[in-house]
Amino acid sequence: MFFAPWTPPTDIEAQLQAATAHGDWDGQLGALAVAELYMEEGRAEADGLVPPAPLVPYRDPASGKRCLPVFTRGALPPWRPDRVLQRTGLDDLALEWPHDKWHLAVNPGHPSAAVVPATPLDREAWLEVCDEAPPRASGRLLSLYTGPLHGPLAHGLACGAPLAVRDGVPWNELGGVYRDYDEDRVVLHGTWGVADPAGWWHLTQRLLAGDGAERETEFALRAREGLAGHSADGAPATAQWREAVTHVLAHRAADAAEIQALDTTVTRIAAAEEQLVRDAVLQPGRRVVSTAAHGLACAVALARLGLSARLCSPADAERVVLTAGETARRTYASWPAFSAGLLLGATLRPGAGDPRAGDPRAAVSGHTAAVSAHHLLLGDPASPWRNIPWS
């Protein structure tokens, strides 16, 4: 009988499997020290609806040891509405371990499973290894090798890849967590004002419909596209563009304040695109057709956050992701064009989805990180933007 070889979901599971197979206990701890670990909890307990249940170990059938289970990112249990996942780390477990005779079971039942002793001396060793481990770097491209890598769902998830890079989560995961249950609920409520399924649904539909984009910006961009379509010289000069927008508004009997606001918008777009040229995001002479990409990327992130916070079902989240991908393909011609639209939208709407919007230093830092994600996603051979055709 032929058995397909096991594909480790991430490098962590591969390291754990190899270390356990070779009896390399130091290798086990080295992998766990840099891994994000997750513990499962009843949703009612996490929501404070019932008192926390005492931790109860299970007897591991392979080792016979009494163990508490934890999971790495690539080996999380399937999504359930009544069970949630909370993030921890080996150092936190070392400081909060409940019983000296219990063992730590990592990914029970998974090919990367490991059972680690947790005596006081062992836990001191955990802390030493964690102290020596390199810090987790932000701005990395992370993938689940067992997640969607091709097809419409992968394309939709790849539209949210810049935010996944920013947040340090795998770009192609649609499952039990984004970061973890508690943190994802805080982000949804504090950043997006979403606290229930109805609010989640309303916001995702608005973003998918383009309501997240500024109307003045989209009007100005459409006006420029109209001018370019009637000109043999391509994109109009900024002065010509401003004059045309003013003429259209005057023809519509717009008041002076509205005309001034649109004129300011055109100037801001032109300045932002010049910055994108300096950032090597836009080629000289190229232009952005829409900022809808920013809302579509946010919709993908909200689908993942809502699924983690149990505000939607997996089917609901998948529909949002697929719709985001379809809308992006209709609006843009390529991944670079989508990314330029996302960056322009983020630039013209500083603080969109960012609770630090009042700090200008955070805005600059956020733009720099977004530009870095753009170049990473277009340059890394493992990037979805290099491996998933646009159309």
Side-chain angles (χ1 to χ4, degrees):
M1 181 179 294
F2 173 77
F3 293 95
W6 174 61
T7 299
T10 75
D11 293 342
I12 292 295
E13 289 77 34
Q15 293 168 22
L16 276 174
Q17 194 271 344
T20 302
H22 293 92
D24 179 8
W25 316 129
D26 291 337
Q28 280 185 340
L29 291 184
L32 293 175
V34 298
E36 292 180 326
L37 304 176
Y38 291 85
M39 299 187 73
E40 205 172 20
E41 182 181 19
R43 181 181 174 187
E45 299 166 29
D47 290 345
L49 301 177
V50 298
L55 292 173
V56 178
Y58 80 101
R59 191 169 294 279
D60 180 66
S63 64
K65 306 294 185 182
R66 291 168 63 82
C67 302
L68 282 182
V70 298
F71 305 91
T72 57
R73 185 86 194 206
L76 299 178
W79 185 93
R80 287 175 52 181
D82 60 332
R83 303 288 293 175
V84 299
L85 293 157
Q86 306 286 22
R87 184 171 50 176
T88 185
L90 190 66
D91 49 354
D92 292 329
L93 290 171
L95 297 172
E96 300 171 3
W97 195 254
H99 199 293
D100 290 346
K101 293 186 178 180
W102 294 355
H103 285 59
L104 175 68
V106 184
N107 300 339
H110 193 267
S112 62
V115 175
V116 179
T119 67
L121 286 177
D122 290 314
R123 299 199 301 274
E124 288 182 15
W126 296 2
L127 290 172
E128 291 176 2
V129 173
C130 289
D131 286 341
E132 297 171 359
R136 298 187 188 98
S138 59
R140 293 182 302 154
L141 174 63
L142 302 175
S143 302
L144 285 181
Y145 306 126
T146 52
L149 295 170
H150 304 284
L153 183 60
H155 188 284
L157 287 167
C159 290
L163 303 187
V165 168
R166 178 197 69 185
D167 295 336
V169 299
W171 69 268
N172 62 333
E173 183 180 37
L174 197 61
V177 295
Y178 188 72
R179 296 178 185 89
D180 73 4
Y181 180 71
D182 284 347
E183 187 172 352
D184 293 340
R185 287 198 307 161
V186 169
V187 169
L188 279 168
H189 185 262
T191 300
W192 296 101
V194 171
D196 55 36
W200 175 87
W201 183 88
H202 180 69
L203 181 54
T204 55
Q205 300 313 301
R206 283 185 52 212
L207 291 171
L208 292 174
D211 290 352
E214 295 287 344
R215 288 184 300 172
E216 293 85 357
T217 299
E218 293 302 295
F219 176 84
L221 292 173
R222 286 195 301 270
R224 182 173 62 178
E225 288 303 296
L227 285 172
H230 292 87
S231 171
D233 299 329
T238 302
Q240 182 187 1
W241 180 18
R242 292 173 64 188
E243 182 180 349
V245 168
T246 300
H247 177 75
V248 170
L249 290 180
H251 182 72
R252 295 181 180 181
D255 60 34
E258 186 176 357
I259 293 174
Q260 180 59 50
L262 259 296
D263 186 73
T264 300
T265 296
V266 169
T267 303
R268 291 183 64 215
I269 294 172
E273 287 183 330
E274 289 174 3
Q275 180 61 54
L276 292 180
V277 170
R278 291 193 292 272
D279 292 331
V281 170
L282 273 179
Q283 295 297 318
R286 296 284 184 177
R287 59 188 184 271
V288 175
V289 299
S290 171
T291 60
H294 184 266
L296 297 175
C298 289
V300 172
L302 278 166
R304 300 180 61 183
L305 286 164
L307 193 58
S308 173
R310 304 314 191 255
L311 298 184
C312 65
S313 70
D316 293 332
E318 185 171 318
R319 277 193 291 270
V320 169
V321 172
L322 288 171
T323 302
E326 293 166 4
T327 304
R329 282 193 295 270
R330 290 197 305 267
T331 307
Y332 299 95
S334 65
W335 286 115
F338 172 85
S339 185
L342 190 159
L343 283 162
L344 181 62
T347 299
L348 297 178
R349 299 174 63 247
D354 189 341
R356 306 166 302 169
D359 185 350
R361 293 170 299 178
V364 172
S365 174
H367 177 79
T368 302
V371 170
S372 296
H374 165 92
H375 291 300
L376 173 65
L377 286 164
L378 287 175
D380 192 322
S383 165
W385 291 7
R386 296 283 298 272
N387 292 284
I388 300 175
W390 181 256
S391 58

